[in-house]
Amino acid sequence: MSYNPLFMKRAFALAARGDGAVQPNPYVGAVAVKEGRIIGEGYHDSFGGPHAEVQALSIDSHLAEGCELYVTLEPCNHYGKTPPCTELIIQKKVKAVYAAMKDPNPLVSGQGLRRLKEAGVLVQAGFQEKKARKMNRVFIKNILDKEPYVILKYAMTADGYIASCNGDSRWISCEESRKEVHLIRHNVKGIMVGAGTVIQDKPRLTARVDPEGWQPRKVVYDPRGDLIGHSHPLSGEALILTEGEKYLDREGFRNYTLPKDPAAFRAAFYEVLWKEGVTSLLVEGGSFTIHRMFEADAVDEVVVFIAPKLLGGGLSPSGEKGFASIEQARKLLETSWQKVGEDMMMKGFFRDVYRTH
């Protein structure tokens, strides 16, 4: 009996099938192995639904007895929406558990592994921990900071413009990049754009990976009240964040007034999202909204699609607003580049995604 990385790789592949419907829970995959072959597997697919371990062990108890369980996160040992996974593992007489990482919640971290060890289960943890932490970066920030995770995304030309001088932006990125954006949307709890983007582009703010399935919340940043009295295509419940007079109550919309000071704005912005259950948010512009997010230091991750096109002039991502010198520029961490269709997709982080506290 020894750890086999191929089975953990499969557990990660299963965990990646989860989407935003899982949040605020983590993405978790599990694989049950006996005599070198997979006998059960599963992943956490919705908040309040069966955990990955439960799905992987939903097999005959005789078959499960003596198996090894590969899981991307330490099994839980507490009652929440579902019973503790540790008790099922013990009941099924699993002989070994290999976990990619401990639970990042300092209140419960290690308790699941300890309970299993006390019951005589062989326990080992820390396999591909960096990969596991990166996969669950939203969950980790939620647990450690009680704050939402914010991703900023935009598409620009090779000379750095997100729209032409006349405001035209459809389409800077290629079709493959736009499909990638919908995958990102499918993994967040909310999508935010500025009022100007709503008025000009009339976005639906939906994830078209599964049009009939779960959808993120719609959020509009409208500091000047531009949407008041203006027809727009938003349907369903939406959050509208303003910095001026509060909107009149309107069916289907929830309105919050935020302070103008950047530090105070960030605190109030996070508080509103957290209160509304938006544990992760994708910000898609426009330029004033992008500037506001940078100014308030309210961004965790950046995704930029760079198209092989030149405009020679136009609207920059933050509308010509920004730091006065290169020395003030914020450096992205863990940057990666990937070709998507004819575009290049760049990802980076403003915060340490591997932190433990």
Side-chain angles (χ1 to χ4, degrees):
M1 178 172 58
S2 61
Y3 170 78
N4 187 327
L6 291 179
F7 296 127
M8 186 62 79
K9 182 178 181 180
R10 176 59 181 165
F12 273 109
L14 289 165
R17 292 184 183 179
D19 56 41
V22 169
Q23 298 174 27
N25 281 357
Y27 295 150
V28 184
V31 175
V33 177
K34 193 171 186 179
E35 297 177 354
R37 67 183 183 89
I38 295 175
I39 58 172
E41 60 181 31
Y43 67 97
H44 189 40
D45 60 5
S46 62
F47 179 64
H51 287 191
E53 299 94 321
V54 174
Q55 294 194 25
L57 293 174
S58 60
I59 51 179
D60 181 82
S61 294
H62 179 72
L63 180 62
E65 184 176 351
C67 76
E68 301 166 291
L69 186 68
Y70 289 75
V71 61
T72 57
L73 182 69
E74 172 186 1
C76 65
N77 188 45
H78 59 278
Y79 282 89
K81 291 280 185 180
T82 59
C85 291
T86 51
E87 298 311 306
L88 176 65
I89 292 170
I90 295 167
Q91 176 191 330
K92 291 282 188 174
K93 298 181 180 179
V94 174
K95 69 177 178 180
V97 171
Y98 303 111
M101 64 177 284
K102 289 183 178 180
D103 191 321
N105 187 344
L107 297 178
V108 299
S109 180
Q111 291 183 19
L113 299 177
R114 189 179 307 113
R115 172 71 181 108
L116 293 173
K117 191 176 295 185
E118 289 171 351
V121 180
L122 173 66
V123 173
Q124 295 182 32
F127 300 98
Q128 300 186 55
E129 183 169 351
K130 289 187 70 173
K131 183 176 181 178
R133 287 188 170 277
K134 194 170 188 178
M135 172 175 277
N136 275 313
R137 56 193 180 277
V138 172
F139 175 66
I140 290 173
K141 189 184 183 194
N142 291 169
I143 283 293
L144 296 183
D145 300 334
K146 299 293 187 291
E147 292 177 347
Y149 188 92
V150 179
I151 304 170
L152 174 64
K153 166 255 137 187
Y154 57 88
M156 69 179 188
T157 60
D159 51 352
Y161 298 105
I162 63 171
S164 71
C165 295
N166 296 324
D168 181 25
S169 62
R170 292 192 173 184
W171 294 101
I172 286 177
S173 58
C174 66
E175 183 178 353
E176 292 86 349
S177 291
R178 297 196 294 276
K179 288 180 179 178
E180 188 71 26
V181 170
H182 282 285
L183 288 174
I184 299 173
R185 286 182 172 190
H186 199 53
N187 281 276
V188 293
K189 296 292 279 187
I191 305 171
M192 185 174 91
V193 294
T197 299
V198 171
I199 293 169
Q200 179 156 330
D201 295 342
K202 297 178 172 54
R204 284 182 280 173
L205 302 184
T206 57
R208 273 153 249 171
V209 175
D210 182 10
E212 302 302 318
W214 176 88
Q215 289 291 330
R217 298 279 297 277
K218 300 177 177 74
V219 185
V220 179
Y221 176 52
D222 186 11
R224 297 179 295 267
D226 293 338
L227 288 183
I228 297 177
H230 200 289
S231 61
H232 55 80
L234 289 181
S235 60
E237 184 175 301
L239 302 179
I240 299 181
L241 311 180
T242 185
E243 293 177 15
E245 293 297 320
K246 186 174 182 179
Y247 279 57
L248 295 175
D249 288 337
R250 183 173 174 181
E251 186 177 356
F253 291 81
R254 296 173 68 82
N255 311 309
Y256 292 91
T257 301
L258 305 180
K260 294 181 183 295
D261 175 74
F265 172 92
R266 175 185 169 183
F269 177 63
Y270 281 169
E271 183 179 353
V272 167
L273 294 177
W274 193 257
K275 175 183 176 182
E276 291 287 343
V278 182
T279 51
S280 59
L281 180 73
L282 177 64
V283 179
E284 296 198 6
S287 61
F288 187 83
T289 302
I290 291 173
H291 165 68
R292 194 67 166 122
M293 293 297 103
F294 280 140
E295 180 185 49
D297 189 23
V299 178
D300 297 286
E301 181 177 338
V302 177
V303 181
V304 182
F305 294 90
I306 305 170
K309 301 173 182 177
L310 299 174
L311 273 174
L315 186 65
S316 73
S318 57
E320 311 305 331
K321 298 180 176 68
F323 298 119
S325 68
I326 296 296
E327 288 185 352
Q328 292 176 288
R330 295 189 58 199
K331 185 174 177 59
L332 288 170
L333 309 172
E334 290 284 321
T335 53
S336 62
W337 296 82
Q338 178 184 338
K339 188 166 176 57
V340 180
E342 63 180 13
D343 300 339
M344 288 299 295
M345 177 176 67
M346 187 275 289
K347 289 186 178 182
F349 305 94
F350 279 137
R351 316 189 200 287
D352 179 12
V353 295
Y354 305 123
R355 67 197 179 107
T356 58
H357 59 277

